[in-house]
Amino acid sequence: MDGRTGTMNAPEQGDPAGRVTLDLVLVSDPGWPTDIAHRLKAELTGLLSGVRVDVDWRVSVNSSALALAAQGDSPSMVQALTERLHDRTWDLALFVTDLPYRANARPVVLMVSRPERVGLVSLPSLGWFRVTRRARDAALYAVSELLAAAAEPTSAQEDVQRPGGTERYLVLPGRSGRLRLLTGMVRANRPWLLFTGLSRVLAVVFATASFGLLSSDVWNVSRHFGPGRACGLTFLSVTAVVAWLVIDHELWERPRGRPARHQARLYNLATVVTLYLGIAFLYAVLYVLIALTALFLLAPGTLGPVLGHEPGAAYYLSLAWFITSMGTVGGALGAGLEDDQVVRQAAYGERQRLGQRQDTTWPDNGGQGP
């Protein structure tokens, strides 16, 4: 289809079988959605032949973020997407995004607009695991719908149509759907990458831990520190860093209006979970490093006179656990030294605004948008 004329491609001349060539454009947000879109392109080229046997498919990827204002609701997204492709030749378009959408307060997996031949796949609603496979299945279903083929939604999802609208939706039902949306949002944040961006926190924690390794008072206290207290201190130390990151870098969303507040709670929860996972990974790496350092620096002969006995492997692990927790509390100070943009990548709403470079107001749209 030409984006300006809205006409389907005609059969190629000289084709005795009357075959047509259709162009499917995968428009994706920059970053992770673009990675998924390229994987979809590789798989869909062959799989789409099963949707229409008389069609030769051309699949392309266009990494292009839509303006934040266009993401307020699905009709605005459809309009913005068709305008974005006005200078290209295309027949079907599918927008792959890492932003959550809702229809009737339910997480949207897939949206299709038949009149415009445009669809949307919301990656967060696909959950944490098997995202590429689920995105591929959603894309195939979207193409079938856009070609008016007979296709039924799976039993794990519900098909809804907003009254007065031309869009059709596949949504996730119930609490399990909301939980899958949350895990998908955290997955989209890629919390394991937070570790690489917190170099200053890592340096402060390791420096604090190094002083602890040389303190005989720490050696004595750690041997009386049971597993219960150790777990409690671990949680408190990780929470201290998370709280400091949220406060110091202003990651907490404070919108106005009930629909915006509902969305902000979801964004804030995804941000906090992302930070917890990222800091927990940082904690685990530090624990291993400190345990190895303790084994290398603190010989049993050095610890024996202070402890009154030769330390075993269990003591070294307990000492490393205690020192890692104490060092992580000190790491909260280093959290304030981190580059603001690096930390804000973990905040869902802030990362969205940074990517679009648009206004930062929350759309009060009745809970129908992202």
Side-chain angles (χ1 to χ4, degrees), residues 4-90:
R4 293 163 292 184
T5 63
T7 59
M8 294 288 289
N9 288 336
E12 296 183 359
Q13 296 295 328
D15 189 340
R19 299 179 65 83
V20 297
T21 299
L22 299 183
D23 291 283
L24 171 63
V25 181
L26 302 176
V27 182
S28 59
D29 282 330
W32 182 51
T34 297
D35 296 339
I36 296 294
H38 282 290
R39 297 177 194 173
L40 291 178
K41 175 185 175 181
E43 296 190 26
L44 289 177
T45 303
L47 293 174
L48 285 173
S49 59
V51 177
R52 282 276 298 270
V53 296
D54 59 334
V55 172
D56 293 321
W57 293 92
R58 286 196 295 253
V59 183
S60 60
V61 176
N62 185 334
S63 180
S64 178
L66 299 184
L68 182 62
Q71 297 169 351
D73 54 65
S74 298
S76 298
M77 185 279 299
V78 171
Q79 180 181 357
L81 185 58
T82 54
E83 291 175 355
R84 181 64 55 87
L85 299 174
H86 77 281
D87 58 345
R88 295 185 53 143
T89 299
W90 59 282

Side-chain angles (χ1 to χ4, degrees), residues 141-155:
Y141 180 76
V143 171
S144 299
E145 282 292 309
L146 295 175
L147 293 176
E152 296 295 333
T154 63
S155 59

